[in-house]
Structures are given as C-alpha cells and as structure tokens.
Amino acid sequence: PGYNHWKHATEKLDDELYDCEAEGFYQFMKVLGSRADRCGWTEPGGILSIPVGEGNSKNLITDYGSIDYEQVKSYEMGFIHENSRKAQDTAMLHDCIMNSLTKEGKAKLNINDDQYTFGRRQAGACLLKVLIRESYLDSNATSSMLRIKLANLDEYIVTVKHDVQKFNNYVKVLIEAL
C-alpha cells in the first residue's frame, strides 16, 4: 500500500506538462489542489496548511498570495529532516510537481534550487512557493485576491478580536505582496 500511495501521489498531474508560464497557472493549481486534497496535504496540520500565527493557518494552494516564502520555509524546516509522514509528504509533493513540468519549467525553477533543497531533502511546499513566484509573479489572480482581502479588512479585524498588532501585520503582508 505504501508504494502505491507514493506512486499515485508523485505521478504527473496531467498529460500536458506545465511550463511555469502565466497562461497555464490557474489550471496547474486547480489540478494540484485536487491531488493535494486527495493526499491529505491540505488538511489542518498537513504540509500545505501553513501556520500564519497563533493557531491560524492558510492553505498554500488557495491563499498563496498572502503567504510569504519565509512562512513556508519556517514551517517546512520544522519537519523536513525528520523521519515522519510530513517529511514523506513534502518529498512526494516535490516529486509530483517536478514530474508535472516541462524541461523549460524545470529550468526556471532549478535556478532557485537552494530555496527548496535542504541538504539531501526536497521541500515540496517551498518548491511550490518558488513555482508560484516564478510562474505568476504579477498575476491577475494574486492581485484580485489581494484587492478582495484589502476590501474586507473590516471583517478581518473582527476575526482577530480587534488585535491591532495582528491587524497591522496582516496589512503589512498584503501591502508587501502588492
């Protein structure tokens, strides 16, 4: 059963490989999101459920524009060197992404391999964050998501119980993402 899980989790996402260009970004993220859900990577505590402070987490697939690389790296470094399910999951995510890319897509990401390779370990969530940055740095999707989040700041302040420090940090992250 372990081998079959690994094989399914790491196989390419689609017959058409992704070249890390903006045009195919939405489709790639959609298909990757489905795989991630099936593999349990997006569940609370999963490798794509990134802690963003005091018991809160965000899904890297759906909230990629509001999670920065350092948050992803900090989370992943907490388990990547362990012999654990999370360490296996992040290696599987890495292989899944790499198996789904064209030669050109891989070349775009390999320039930054120091941002997702730590010793002999491959960090799948960090790789995904690099892919997002390289594929769609100035994406319409990110801009739209940021505009929506900025427009809903009045709702956010309520969710953090009017904690001005949390609110200011959140706004700072949104503005930096612009």
Side-chain angles (χ1 to χ4, degrees), residues 148-159:
I148 290 167
K149 290 182 182 293
L150 286 168
N152 293 324
L153 286 174
D154 56 332
E155 295 171 14
Y156 179 78
I157 190 81
V158 174
T159 66

Side-chain angles (χ1 to χ4, degrees), residues 80-157:
I80 193 168
H81 294 290
E82 299 173 353
N83 288 321
S84 66
R85 175 63 187 259
K86 279 185 173 181
Q88 290 174 344
D89 283 349
T90 199
M92 286 189 287
L93 173 61
H94 172 276
D95 290 357
C96 172
I97 291 170
M98 286 306 219
N99 289 336
S100 302
L101 299 178
T102 62
K103 185 172 66 173
E104 295 77 16
K106 288 177 186 174
K108 263 182 133 174
L109 299 183
N110 285 337
I111 293 168
N112 300 297
D113 70 341
D114 62 320
Q115 294 177 4
Y116 58 83
T117 303
F118 303 99
R120 293 177 37 226
R121 302 291 178 125
Q122 305 292 325
C126 284
L127 172 62
L128 178 56
K129 190 62 183 170
V130 170
L131 178 145
I132 291 165
R133 183 185 72 217
E134 295 302 314
S135 298
Y136 227 63
L137 186 59
D138 297 315
S139 76
N140 292 332
T142 300
S143 298
S144 292
M145 185 172 64
L146 289 170
R147 278 195 298 277
I148 290 167
K149 290 182 182 293
L150 286 168
N152 293 324
L153 286 174
D154 56 332
E155 295 171 14
Y156 179 78
I157 190 81

Side-chain angles (χ1 to χ4, degrees), residues 13 28-38 42 48 61:
L13 294 168
F28 178 82
M29 291 297 284
K30 192 87 174 147
V31 177
L32 180 61
S34 293
R35 173 77 53 86
D37 288 344
R38 282 195 311 277
T42 55
L48 295 176
I61 300 284

